Amino acid sequence: MSVIILFIDGVGLGAEADYNPWATESTPNLNRLLAGRNLVADAVGRASEKSLLLAADATLGVPGLPQSATGQATIFTGRNAPQAMNHHQSGLPFRRLREWVEQENLYLHAQRKGYTITFANSYTPEFFDLPTTRRGWVSVSTCAIRSTGQPLRTLDDLLAGRAVYHDLTRRFLARKRGDIDEISPETAADHLLGLACEHDLVVHEFFLSDLAGHKQNREEMSWVTRHYDVFIGSVVNQLRQHDLLLLVSDHGNSEDLRVKTHTMNNVPLLAVTSDIAFLDEMEKARELWDLTHITPVALQWLENHN
Ligand SMILES: [Zn+2]
């Protein structure tokens, strides 16, 4: 029994409107999880016994648009990063925030309690070839997993089905390298679930949604919504008794193609599990969820089930 965290960058809960690809594109699997609704603000609530969509505040009481570095740092530490840094910090974290994440985070908490953890994303040989100075300039996810001392997943892991590429289907790798084929999002889901069989906590990070949102690129968003929908549908179909799936984002962006920037919208926290009592507790826990609550929910679930 595992917690699977699907972190998807730049997805807020927006309106049922023509500028929101999460509303206009076909997402049958998300619709199934949301009692026929799209992944929009109106869908918040208990869609079924086994699935609950909450709206989480990404602004965290700090003025300005929510950003990736502090949003992700908050998700993966359970602490309010923009408040600690006095502002929302975009992109890759600066040293102070990096050290703040490395000091205490979800993986370290879980490891200390004896749970096995892993970050499913794989890194390319180019990443490992970067000079150490440049390699210090990494995402929150990377510095969080590195703080545990675990090796990062490599291209060999990926090709052996023991990792998931950030874009799910390896299409970026396939474009660059003739020896690598694209795979289906269903196969990516199988690989993720393989890792879930071996670990108590598995995290995957997807960020094409944020990039496409910044570009206001409808075609790219169409690819993102369709493929992510199949991926999550396939993961949910194969969840084992009492696995917990959490889908969360760091800030809004791709749900409003009228703007290039992030948005102030709440973000989705979608929880799917057959542990109905756990969802009941989540549902009545509080009015307003925010990004600091993801880490405690994951840790609580691990404590209840292991
Ligand atoms: Zn962004």
Side-chain angles (χ1 to χ4, degrees):
M1 287 179 287
S2 316
V3 182
I4 300 171
I5 298 183
L6 299 182
F7 163 63
I8 179 166
D9 200 316
V11 179
L13 289 170
E16 273 291 347
D18 62 356
Y19 53 77
N20 181 359
W22 295 99
T24 57
E25 295 293 334
S26 167
T27 53
N29 294 287
L30 283 166
N31 298 152
R32 185 166 49 84
L33 292 172
L34 298 170
R37 315 197 82 139
N38 293 315
L39 186 64
V40 297
D42 281 349
V44 169
R46 187 74 172 262
S48 74
E49 269 196 321
K50 295 181 181 178
S51 92
L52 169 68
L53 177 66
L54 297 164
D57 169 43
T59 66
L60 297 159
V62 175
L65 285 174
Q67 301 292 346
S68 289
T70 37
Q72 293 167 23
T74 306
I75 292 172
F76 291 109
T77 64
R79 292 175 288 148
N80 189 326
Q83 199 176 65
M85 301 295 132
N86 288 316
H87 68 289
H88 295 282
Q89 200 180 103
S90 66
L92 302 177
F94 292 115
R95 189 173 172 175
R96 186 166 153 240
L97 180 56
R98 218 159 56 220
E99 288 174 355
W100 190 86
V101 169
E102 283 161 357
Q103 209 171 52
E104 198 58 277
N105 57 60
L106 171 60
Y107 297 125
L108 290 173
H109 273 296
Q111 263 191 338
R112 216 173 292 131
K113 292 185 173 172
Y115 306 120
T116 52
I117 53 105
T118 195
F119 183 46
N121 291 54
S122 63
Y123 294 75
T124 58
E126 289 79 17
F127 174 84
F128 294 103
D129 288 344
L130 288 174
T132 2
T133 43
R134 288 267 322 275
R135 243 189 292 156
W137 189 238
V138 293
S139 69
V140 165
S141 324
T142 306
C143 71
I145 194 66
R146 280 205 312 207
S147 72
T148 67
Q150 276 205 2
L152 300 173
R153 291 187 180 273
T154 63
L155 191 61
D156 286 344
D157 291 320
L158 184 74
L159 297 178
R162 293 191 309 266
V164 179
Y165 205 57
H166 75 79
D167 65 7
L168 307 179
T169 66
R170 307 177 184 174
R171 79 175 165 144
F172 283 90
L173 278 177
R175 270 182 210 166
K176 275 195 291 187
R177 301 180 45 146
D179 57 333
I180 296 179
D181 291 328
E182 228 179 308
I183 60 167
S184 68
E186 288 96 333
T187 304
D190 291 347
H191 295 161
L192 187 81
L193 289 155
L195 295 178
C197 289
E198 295 166 2
H199 300 85
D200 300 313
L201 169 70
V202 182
V203 175
H204 180 258
E205 172 174 3
F206 180 90
F207 53 81
L208 295 182
S209 32
D210 192 52
L211 299 183
H214 284 303
K215 287 191 275 184
Q216 296 169 285
N217 188 328
R218 202 169 267 279
E219 202 180 315
E220 189 68 22
M221 271 313 294
S222 170
W223 189 94
V224 164
T225 49
R226 281 183 293 115
H227 286 76
Y228 208 83
D229 180 70
V230 173
F231 174 66
I232 195 169
S234 194
V235 171
V236 167
N237 283 343
Q238 299 177 71
L239 286 182
R240 295 162 300 173
Q241 177 83 5
H242 288 185
D243 279 343
L244 171 66
L245 174 84
L246 293 173
L247 171 81
V248 68
S249 185
D250 49 355
H251 51 72
N253 177 356
S254 62
E255 79 286 3
D256 190 343
L257 290 184
R258 296 172 305 175
V259 292
K260 276 187 180 26
T261 58
H262 296 172
T263 70
M264 302 292 274
N265 286 331
N266 288 328
V267 296
L269 170 54
L270 175 65
V272 184
T273 178
S274 56
D275 183 346
I276 292 157
F278 192 81
L279 286 190
D280 290 344
E281 288 303 312
M282 280 182 76
E283 196 178 3
K284 64 180 184 214
R286 50 178 74 83
E287 265 301 288
L288 187 62
W289 285 72
D290 68 42
L291 298 185
T292 63
H293 298 126
I294 319 303
T295 281
V297 163
L299 291 171
Q300 183 62 55
W301 190 93
L302 287 170
E303 244 165 67
N304 291 4
H305 292 88
N306 289 280

